[in-house]
Amino acid sequence: MSRTKGIVARLRAMLGRRSAETRMEEEFRFHLEMETRKNVQRGYAADEARRRAAVTFGGVERYREAMRDGRGTRSLEEFWTDVRYAARSLRLNPTFSFVVLLTLALGIGANTAVFTLVDALLLRPLPVRDPEQLVVVGNPTRVNSVSTGSARTEFFSYPLFQDIRKQNRVLEDVFGSGRASRLDARITAAGDASAGSAVEHPVGRFVTGNYFSVLRVGAALGRVFGPVEDAVAGSSPAVVISHQYWQDRFAGDPGVLNRSITINDVRLTVVGVAAPGFSGEVVGQGTQVWLPVTLQPVLFPHRPWLEQRTVNWLVGMGRLKPGVTVEQAQAAIATIVYNVLDEQAGQAATGERPPVPVSQGMRGMSRLRSVYAESLTTLMIAVSLVLLIMCANVASLMLTRASVRAREMSVRVALGARRLRLVRQMLTESLFLSILGGALGLLVAMWGSRGLLRLASSGPGAIPLDARLDIRVLAYSALLALLAAVLFGLLPALRATRTDVSVTLRANSRSVTGGPLGSGRGWGIGKTLVAGQVALSMVLLMGTGLLLRTLSRLESTDAGLARERLLIVSVDVGPTGARGDQLVQVYHDLLEQIKRQPGVAAATMSENGIFSGTESTSTFQVEGFTATVHQDTTAFYDQVGPDYARTIGARLLQGRDIDRRDQNNSVPVVLINSTMARFYFGTDSPIGRSITVEGVRYAIIGVVGDVIYHDLRAKPVRRFYLPLSQSSELPQEIVFEIATAGDPADLAVPVRDAIVAANGSVSVLSHLPLDQLMRRSLSADRLLARIITLFGGVALILSALGLYGLMSYLTLRRLNEFGLRYALGAQRSELTGMILREAFVLIAAGAIAGLPLAFGGMQLIRNRLFGVSVLDPTTVAASLGMLATAVLLAAYIPAARAARVSPLVALRSD
């Protein structure tokens, strides 16, 4: 505190310096005049009297300096003087200032833009009270997942969540939240109980009544949910909206309370507006409306999940009790879950149990985190390399400028300036430049972070991530500016102030031996900086090549199906109200309508879809197989329509496909993939064998080749297929897989219109070609490849510019030498070749240093690679070739220009 007061006192003294010095000068003149009068009275002439008085008191500057020392403001005043000098100096060199500021703005701005996303997605805590006490119960990436069949332990059914909440002894309380699917909302106009707006689709989330109390988030207006919302299913038709949605949709109207919102034909009442800045516990989703979980069967009567233990769709979050650790909470919650599942099964499970995740929750939950975390970390490393290259480039510019100022520095030293004072003055110039560059970089960061969110989005809009420039981002940008000032300013400052005064004053700056950038034959600082830029550029170019080749391999990988001719259409048949056999008839009516469309070669359907929809798993028993661990009895599955394998282009390896003979009154059958066949039956044929799923025995009728369903990187997993017509629990959302004779995109709209025309109650959720869906699944890879390519291009340009600047400077310094060589008979081509050889040595040195760095750096992206190795020879050769071509072209320009100079001009240049 005393230190802070001292600094404040010095600042005040400095601000009042002018008035204090004016008073001091008036007092000095008074005493000087009084001493002059005394000398006159002693008999001296007026001029002699004044001279003697001046000798007695000395100059006014001595008292001014003493006064500054007494106030403790000398260092501040000198710093302010340095700042003003730096501003004047840069104003007199506009081209130099512009180039440096632009370079710094791009470097600092790019780093800040990437850090903004890292902070928003990976680092920033939830805007709630005491977020460090929060833990996630379940998998924080499965926030929108739904799984039917057997009970899951990484996300839960509502009955299982209630068991956890009731038996919990380690958490103060725990809430559950789950996806709300697509909401069809009509907002009733104010003062009108009947009129409503057009259909909107706000982002919603089902939550338990204690949601806001656990998070300790209050209401900006009205109230939030409470115990009444959990009392009885459908008893509280209430909705809480986010503050941002209130501002955007209702213009902040306080009359929004008690307004009606009709969601899925159910009239709800707005009871509150959440606190500003809060958009939910799911980072990157931007929840707009919160709905009581007890309204789920009311809003989705065709998918009543609330009481079903076979439907898993909730993830929990709670607050630790004092003294309880995350590890203790995980053990306690796992015990509750295992006991409940054992009780439901009627016996204790044997073998290894699936884990029950419980993890730190202060940064919320997010599916995006698992998708983009590794990519953003890689981007931070890459953009840091770009900043280093930019700092090296600016350092080269500063060294060049320092060589021009060698005479100025020598004059200052000759006049008594200390080296430390000169270094501080030059560092102040660097800091001044860096601060201005950082300020401009914030503008680049604002644009860049939004651009990155748009690039990363798989849809038409940007990812709804809160990428604002908050205090953490501003502090990071300021730290970058300070670090950059040291990186590019310290070395030139030390080098420029280490000068031989006598030599420099006798010669011009061009002829100073061993200038800051080095000589043509020596290895100076400038050459080291350029070689370093080449080495760092090699790392980025290698990364660019490997990621581009990875993306190409992923986009062309064999997914085990006909990706180029499939159209995927997702529909919601729940609004039709059909159940049982009627629902099966709706499926088949829509399927027949689709098949009648021109250009449709074949069509089928499934519950989960390919690269869309959800995923289902189930436990089962295989005839003749004894499981040793729990995982041996689980596999992914889907419920599919007739001719499924043939329509999607999967390879039928044994037996037959599911077809129309497989009805509800026929023998239950199942189709398995080749991975499942090998795991359970080895080399034996599985045809005619059986598996038992939930007490029903299914005969294996065929083996189909492995198909990649959601992740092109994923290894094949065990999967089986059941006929939709034989299902006892029919889905309300269905996916049609349509094989087309031409481009699937051309049929997207006609098929959608045909479905709506066939049944107006059916909602078409999406209609996209499979190839487009697969490309969307690569959004993180595409983002990483695009941005690293951009950074690699910037690094290549900067390295070329750095070499161009260095060779231009060195050839200018050696014009006298070239003149002598001309006079002695050297050919112009020989001189050009000599300069290019020197440039090639720099490139070779940088490449030799860069290759080990590149191989080491590529280990960081090893997990992102697919189909290529970190030592891929094609990528190494291409990177070296591009780098050598670019920098040699940059070096050729000054070499050719120097070779064209007249020998007479060259000899007179010194």
Side-chain angles (χ1 to χ4, degrees), residues 488-546:
F488 73 75
L490 183 59
L491 187 61
L494 293 174
R495 184 62 184 82
T497 56
R498 191 175 69 242
T499 180
D500 189 327
V501 177
S502 61
V503 172
T504 307
L505 292 179
R506 287 199 306 266
N508 58 39
S509 60
R510 188 187 302 170
S511 62
V512 178
T513 303
L517 294 178
S519 66
R521 293 164 297 279
W523 193 273
I525 300 172
K527 291 186 177 181
T528 303
L529 289 173
V530 171
Q533 291 181 60
V534 171
L536 294 176
S537 298
M538 188 67 197
V539 178
L540 288 174
L541 289 175
M542 280 279 292
T544 297
L546 290 175

Side-chain angles (χ1 to χ4, degrees), residues 158 165 173 207-213 223-233 235-236 292-294:
Y158 183 65
R165 185 179 178 186
D173 200 357
V207 297
T208 52
N210 61 340
Y211 174 83
F212 292 98
S213 63
R223 70 172 181 88
V224 293
F225 294 152
V228 65
E229 270 70 40
D230 285 341
V232 179
S235 63
S236 179
V293 72
T294 50

Side-chain angles (χ1 to χ4, degrees), residues 622-623 672 676-686 689 700:
V622 179
E623 178 189 356
I672 66 175
M676 187 168 175
R678 284 193 304 271
F679 185 83
Y680 293 107
F681 304 103
T683 57
D684 297 339
S685 174
R689 307 283 286 274
I700 300 174

Side-chain angles (χ1 to χ4, degrees), residues 691-715:
I691 66 173
T692 302
V693 183
E694 295 183 5
V696 179
R697 185 176 179 180
Y698 292 85
I700 300 174
I701 59 171
V703 178
V704 68
D706 292 325
V707 175
I708 300 175
Y709 273 82
H710 296 285
D711 184 0
L712 288 168
R713 297 174 180 274
K715 295 180 179 179

